[in-house]
Amino acid sequence: MAIAIPTDAYCDLADLRAALPQRTFSATSVPTDAQAETHIKDVAEEINAVVGRVGYAIPVSDTRGVKVLKQVNIYGAAAKVERAIAAGAGGVSEAAAQYEDLYQDRLDRLSKNTLRLGTVGSPANARPEGQTTLQADEPTVTRDPKFTMEDNF
């Protein structure tokens, strides 16, 4: 079964194979090629849930956005594949943990809207590219200083 990008997912089995050249996917591998494609689609659904909640139109169709989400989709699917392989071997995979960390980091950045996806379907609250500072209408957090002029060292 073929994956339509970006309708079904942001990467396909060929992309996952390229990211995991040491892994072989077939009808009899663990996971099978069909299971790997399911992992890809499941991760894409998670990604869409996050970017949709931030306000982007789903599926993201902006060229830059699709490129960014392709890598996020690969990280998530690779984590699931590596976990499946490790579970089949009765072990724990360091590679799965590394891919999971990368995936969760990108999802977190997407949920905070700090990973810019492009302009098509951008949420109204998206910051212009390169802007990392708060604007006057954004909430701020104030904190008590750790040290004051009266502190003696």
Side-chain angles (χ1 to χ4, degrees):
M1 87 182 125
I3 294 175
I5 297 172
T7 307
D8 296 330
Y10 298 99
C11 73
D12 59 19
L13 193 55
D15 296 321
L16 189 59
R17 282 186 174 119
L20 301 172
Q22 73 281 15
R23 303 293 179 213
T24 302
F25 301 104
S26 68
T28 59
S29 64
V30 176
T32 65
D33 50 1
Q35 290 169 329
E37 284 187 348
T38 299
H39 290 318
I40 290 169
K41 289 179 181 181
D42 290 347
V43 168
E45 288 298 321
E46 293 174 2
I47 292 167
N48 283 340
V50 171
V51 298
R53 187 176 63 242
V54 172
Y56 283 94
I58 301 302
V60 172
S61 59
D62 181 83
T63 303
R64 182 170 189 261
V66 170
K67 285 181 183 180
V68 169
L69 295 180
K70 175 182 179 177
Q71 194 60 54
V72 178
N73 207 157
I74 290 170
Y75 290 152
K80 288 180 179 286
V81 164
E82 290 293 338
R83 272 198 311 269
I85 292 168
V92 177
S93 169
E94 184 176 321
Q98 290 173 342
Y99 280 118
E100 185 66 29
D101 286 347
L102 289 167
Y103 176 59
Q104 291 302 324
D105 173 69
R106 295 322 184 275
L107 279 185
D108 184 53
R109 290 175 59 196
L110 286 167
S111 72
K112 293 177 181 173
N113 204 18
T114 60
L115 188 59
R116 187 153 169 83
L117 298 181
T119 57
V120 176
S122 294
N125 63 342
R127 291 188 174 125
E129 189 152 6
Q131 178 186 328
T132 58
T133 58
L134 292 174
Q135 298 300 302
D137 61 341
E138 293 184 67
T140 59
V141 177
T142 58
R143 296 188 174 115
D144 293 329
K146 296 218 182 257
F147 304 102
T148 65
M149 295 299 288
E150 293 79 33
D151 288 340
N152 291 319
F153 297 99

